Amino acid sequence: PRSPRAPAAPAFSVSEIKNKQRRHFMFLRWKQQQRKEKLAAKKKRRKEREALGDKAPPKPIPKTLENQRVYDETTVDPNDEEVAFDEATDEFAPYFNRQTLPKILITTSDRPRGRTVRFCEQLATVIPNSHVYYRRGLALKRIIPQCIARDFTDLIVINEDRKIPNGLVLSHLPDGPTAHFRMSSVRLRKEIKRKGKEPTEHTPEVILNNFTTRLGHSVGRMLASLFPHDPQFIGRQVATFHNQRDYIFFRFHRYIFKSEKKVGIQELGPRFTLKLRSLQKGTFDSKFGEYEWIHKRREMDTSRRKFHL
Amino acid sequence: SPQIVWSMLGNRQFCSYKMTTKTQNFCRNEYNLTGLCNRSSCPLANSQYATIREEKGRCYLYMKTIERAAFPRRLWERVLLNKNYEKALEQIDENLIYWPRFIRHKCKQRFTKITQYLIRIRKLTLKRQRKLVPLRRKIERREKRREEKALIAAQLDNAIEKELLERLKQDTYGDIYNFPIHAFDKALQQQEAESESESDAEREEEDEEDVDKREFVEAEDSDLSDFEDMDKLETSSEEEQEEEEEVEKKALHSKSKGKTPLKGPARRKRPYIEIEYEEETEPTTKTKAA
């Protein structure tokens, strides 16, 4: 039988062999060869490094997605005046000036199943001054004016699918923006390993990480406005919204400073991740609302290195 | 004739509209009045027949008579019924006058049912409608994978710890956490700044002489003056700390049950650490600073 072991020079490619077994075998051999070459190159490089000693050039930084991220023109510069002015006059200004205290209504879609109900309850313990109400088939358009009348500042609707929560609509009430998130990897308190006791009534601190662009900034402010602006440090609780590659991870911890340079954190409370789907200017209105940002898959997901938040 | 048709289709031979189930026979013919397979309800086996059908929200009365049995295209006569329920009933009566009671009755029943479900449809469309959005498997998988990778890249614990330590450094917590080393370093830096500003020239000259005298001079200064200061600091800070520690201990005890596996030893050490650092490490830090 012919054994196609010709050297690489005459246009020989592993993928052209018709016989699967043989093709697989040749591919494995090729892979082994590649690995050997790579190892040899590494060793050589290391020897050169050691030989040079102090004069060796610094190690090259590995490329990560964060390094390679396509520069977004709407990235917020901390000293930007325009942004500061915008933030002083947008809907969250009264909150950040400590004029209003957040009061939050948490509800679900119709007929919530056990997991969603428990998640809502836990969320209500995490966010101070929040109330859970069952939906019972009421239309959101009618709920919203009632909420505004009763002085609620935010409305959270947790959408459910097949007994697990999978969406979150966060609406700032007196005419504020509405954000629609897709929620994933929801872990209830009992599913978290090595957790502490339940969160106490103290207002937690808020950490917002990595919200760089204008859009991210506004989403971050929205999330921060759920919690009262003055945290009680006695409680030593912290709620974190960490944005990484357009995924917002929510965690709730209790921290303790073991020494000056060391802090220990212990996770309590539920955890979930959010991905922004759309941001609307007014309150929740799916048909006639004015969308500030919608995630359009065809246009926005083309590059692996481009993130929007 | 209809009897022959029925004897064939109804019982013995095959009727393509007939659906049998365990308890009943159904008729799938669209012109059927009741939906069951009966001698009186079969549109094929009755030469005089009438039905009600609705199209796009409007109801029609369909009639079939023997005279038109030879013309399949003109077989079914169609009458549009009035939107008003009572007027439509009158219309049915008027069109089916002298027809067998059974057909008239069933027509009216069917018409009632149809109007009722049309009303229901109109009511439901006003309420909220659930929109079903299909999931795309490839996209779901892609999102899941990216989320996992983002989670690993995020290194959440480290990020949170770093942020908390930064906040501690920037004094957002104020006086709650009184780490003596921290405070003492600050005090030292202040003293150094003062002494430097006062006696820069003298220090430069006295450098060589200080080689032998250093220990002596500094020991006196540090022991006496600093101890005085530290006493004042100690008493005041200790009082504050004791109060705070009591408050915190109580709070800690209430929370400690769930935390003992991780935080037990650290928790018990905490009050001790502060006292020890105050008393023992002072001289060491002083000599190092020198």
Side-chain angles (χ1 to χ4, degrees):
Chain A
R2 283 182 296 136
S3 52
R5 283 191 204 164
F12 156 80
S13 107
V14 177
S15 54
E16 274 172 17
I17 307 176
K18 297 284 187 179
N19 185 337
K20 183 168 177 177
Q21 216 177 20
R22 198 140 251 281
R23 189 171 63 229
H24 184 60
F25 173 72
M26 297 306 281
F27 177 72
L28 287 179
R29 268 231 297 206
W30 177 78
K31 263 291 193 182
Q32 276 178 359
Q33 233 183 15
Q34 297 290 96
R35 257 182 261 148
K36 264 198 221 163
E37 285 170 14
K38 194 172 171 192
L39 201 59
K42 250 197 193 171
K43 276 198 179 161
K44 205 174 101 179
R45 241 183 287 137
R46 195 165 350 135
K47 272 199 188 152
E48 283 174 12
R49 261 195 104 76
E50 283 173 17
L52 285 180
D54 279 334
K55 290 184 287 178
K59 271 195 177 169
I61 315 170
K63 296 188 201 166
T64 64
L65 266 186
E66 281 76 33
N67 293 344
Q68 309 290 97
R69 176 175 175 174
V70 165
Y71 176 68
D72 201 328
E73 30 196 44
T74 63
T75 311
V76 169
D77 188 25
N79 308 325
D80 206 346
E81 288 176 346
E82 198 186 309
V83 174
F85 177 69
D86 269 341
E87 294 189 353
T89 50
D90 78 349
E91 291 105 352
F92 298 106
Y95 162 77
F96 281 101
N97 293 338
R98 302 205 185 160
Q99 288 166 6
T100 48
L101 261 188
K103 189 174 171 196
I104 300 172
L105 179 69
I106 303 182
T107 182
T108 64
S109 54
D110 283 343
R111 299 191 156 266
R113 304 317 253 166
R115 229 186 120 94
T116 316
V117 168
R118 269 177 272 143
F119 176 66
C120 282
E121 287 170 23
Q122 292 186 1
L123 202 60
T125 57
V126 164
I127 307 180
N129 207 4
S130 60
H131 307 268
V132 183
Y133 281 107
Y134 286 121
R135 184 70 169 279
R136 288 159 126 261
L138 302 167
L140 272 183
K141 283 190 202 161
R142 293 211 198 106
I143 294 184
I144 286 177
Q146 282 187 17
C147 285
I148 300 180
R150 294 195 200 178
D151 256 354
F152 278 97
T153 55
D154 288 276
L155 172 69
I156 297 183
V157 182
I158 296 186
N159 192 44
E160 186 203 346
D161 175 55
R162 293 217 196 132
K163 306 180 193 173
I164 44 168
N166 74 343
L168 184 97
V169 175
L170 170 58
S171 181
H172 190 71
L173 270 183
D175 208 43
T178 307
H180 179 33
F181 297 96
R182 180 216 297 258
M183 187 154 58
S184 45
S185 26
V186 174
R187 299 278 174 266
L188 298 178
R189 207 171 278 146
K190 62 179 183 177
E191 292 160 9
I192 300 179
K193 303 178 189 168
R194 288 184 251 110
K195 64 174 187 308
K197 269 197 147 188
E198 295 188 0
T200 57
E201 289 287 325
H202 300 112
T203 34
E205 290 177 53
V206 179
I207 293 182
L208 296 167
N209 267 344
N210 257 347
F211 287 94
T212 48
T213 63
R214 273 304 277 280
L215 178 67
H217 228 64
S218 43
V219 169
R221 295 186 97 225
M222 233 184 133
L223 293 170
S225 74
L226 291 176
F227 296 89
H229 204 90
D230 302 310
Q232 291 170 314
F233 297 120
I234 303 182
R236 282 187 286 129
Q237 292 174 141
V238 57
T240 310
F241 291 95
H242 181 103
N243 171 41
Q244 186 85 11
R245 303 183 191 176
D246 278 357
Y247 289 95
I248 304 177
F249 298 100
F250 171 80
R251 299 284 185 272
F252 194 74
H253 291 279
R254 181 170 278 141
Y255 63 86
I256 171 171
F257 285 105
K258 291 185 197 156
S259 78
E260 194 191 273
K261 303 267 164 107
K262 238 178 141 202
V263 59
I265 52 176
Q266 189 182 35
E267 183 159 8
L268 8 135
R271 63 155 85 151
F272 51 89
T273 58
L274 300 171
K275 185 158 198 268
L276 182 68
R277 267 215 270 213
S278 67
L279 185 61
Q280 241 181 0
K281 270 232 174 272
T283 53
F284 180 72
D285 200 336
S286 43
K287 280 192 227 163
F288 305 113
E290 180 195 338
Y291 279 93
E292 203 178 301
W293 188 83
I294 312 183
H295 176 81
K296 293 193 186 127
R297 187 176 58 89
R298 283 274 168 82
E299 302 169 9
M300 298 184 180
D301 267 356
T302 46
S303 163
R304 266 183 232 231
R305 297 178 183 80
K306 185 164 170 43
F307 304 113
H308 313 285
L309 270 190
Chain B
S1 67
Q3 282 113 345
I4 301 176
V5 172
W6 178 248
S7 59
M8 293 302 203
L9 295 180
N11 297 322
R12 288 198 248 141
Q13 292 202 355
F14 177 73
C15 171
S16 69
Y17 297 107
K18 184 174 176 183
M19 281 200 308
T20 53
T21 49
K22 264 188 254 175
T23 46
Q24 227 175 20
N25 295 336
F26 293 102
C27 183
R28 265 192 321 157
N29 197 329
E30 347 165 291
Y31 289 99
N32 191 311
L33 191 51
T34 53
L36 312 172
C37 190
N38 285 330
R39 173 70 183 85
S40 45
S41 320
C42 188
L44 306 171
N46 285 314
S47 36
Q48 193 187 42
Y49 200 73
T51 342
I52 307 277
R53 278 174 72 184
E54 68 94 17
E55 262 162 57
K56 292 185 190 162
R58 300 305 307 274
C59 300
Y60 298 92
L61 170 65
Y62 283 77
M63 287 179 287
K64 159 177 146 174
T65 43
I66 316 171
E67 289 97 24
R68 297 197 300 271
F71 311 109
R73 216 155 55 98
R74 292 176 246 157
L75 186 56
W76 289 98
E77 178 190 340
R78 184 164 97 160
V79 174
L80 177 64
L81 295 175
N82 204 325
K83 270 197 187 171
N84 189 337
Y85 180 70
E86 279 116 33
K87 286 198 189 146
L89 283 183
E90 284 172 11
Q91 257 181 313
I92 294 176
D93 265 332
E94 173 195 320
N95 275 307
L96 297 183
I97 196 170
Y98 306 132
W99 278 56
R101 225 181 308 137
F102 173 76
I103 293 183
R104 252 186 294 151
H105 184 62
K106 286 294 178 188
C107 271
K108 286 190 221 162
Q109 273 189 338
R110 195 181 166 93
F111 175 68
T112 317
K113 221 8 163 250
I114 289 178
T115 45
Q116 281 172 351
Y117 82 62
L118 285 175
I119 292 172
R120 202 150 166 248
I121 289 176
R122 271 179 255 138
K123 219 192 290 182
L124 284 179
T125 51
L126 288 178
K127 279 196 186 177
R128 310 169 306 125
Q129 279 181 325
R130 199 162 301 199
K131 186 176 172 194
L132 291 173
V133 176
L135 289 178
R136 293 211 174 88
R137 209 178 305 171
K138 188 174 174 187
I139 295 179
E140 293 295 306
R141 263 195 269 149
R142 203 204 308 168
E143 300 274 308
K144 214 169 98 172
R145 227 183 304 137
R146 287 200 182 158
E147 191 190 316
E148 285 165 5
K149 298 205 169 168
L151 184 63
I152 296 173
Q155 291 176 348
L156 282 171
D157 290 339
N158 290 350
I160 297 177
E161 287 174 10
K162 240 186 359 184
E163 177 71 29
L164 288 171
L165 285 172
E166 268 210 36
R167 288 192 183 179
L168 182 68
K169 273 197 198 142
Q170 286 171 0
D171 241 0
T172 41
Y173 299 130
D175 286 329
I176 306 180
Y177 299 101
N178 216 346
F179 287 110
I181 312 173
H182 193 67
F184 191 68
D185 277 343
K186 268 191 180 172
L188 250 191
Q189 282 169 18
Q190 279 176 8
Q191 281 187 3
E192 277 181 35
E194 291 170 7
S195 52
E196 275 178 20
S197 58
E198 286 171 1
S199 55
D200 266 338
E202 293 174 5
R203 272 207 175 178
E204 286 174 80
E205 293 174 0
E206 289 177 339
D207 260 341
E208 295 172 333
E209 297 177 30
D210 272 342
V211 172
D212 296 319
K213 291 185 193 172
R214 252 191 207 171
E215 297 171 13
F216 186 63
V217 169
E218 294 215 358
E220 275 186 356
D221 285 342
S222 58
D223 287 335
L224 293 178
S225 61
D226 286 324
F227 256 128
E228 287 170 6
D229 292 336
M230 283 314 292
D231 278 338
K232 290 178 200 165
L233 273 178
E234 268 180 60
T235 47
S236 56
S237 60
E238 265 182 6
E239 282 172 5
E240 290 174 7
Q241 275 183 355
E242 278 170 9
E243 289 171 2
E244 281 169 3
E245 278 172 14
E246 282 174 11
V247 169
E248 284 183 270
K249 269 186 197 168
K250 285 178 196 165
L252 292 176
H253 279 306
S254 62
K255 297 176 203 164
S256 63
K257 283 179 196 168
K259 291 194 195 177
T260 36
L262 255 194
K263 306 281 183 183
R267 184 128 316 188
R268 274 177 240 136
K269 269 188 197 165
R270 207 164 157 254
Y272 290 107
I273 285 180
E274 290 178 349
I275 300 175
E276 280 170 12
Y277 274 39
E278 284 172 8
E279 289 173 295
E280 289 176 4
T281 59
E282 279 166 14
T284 54
T285 51
K286 278 180 205 166
T287 47
K288 275 180 193 171

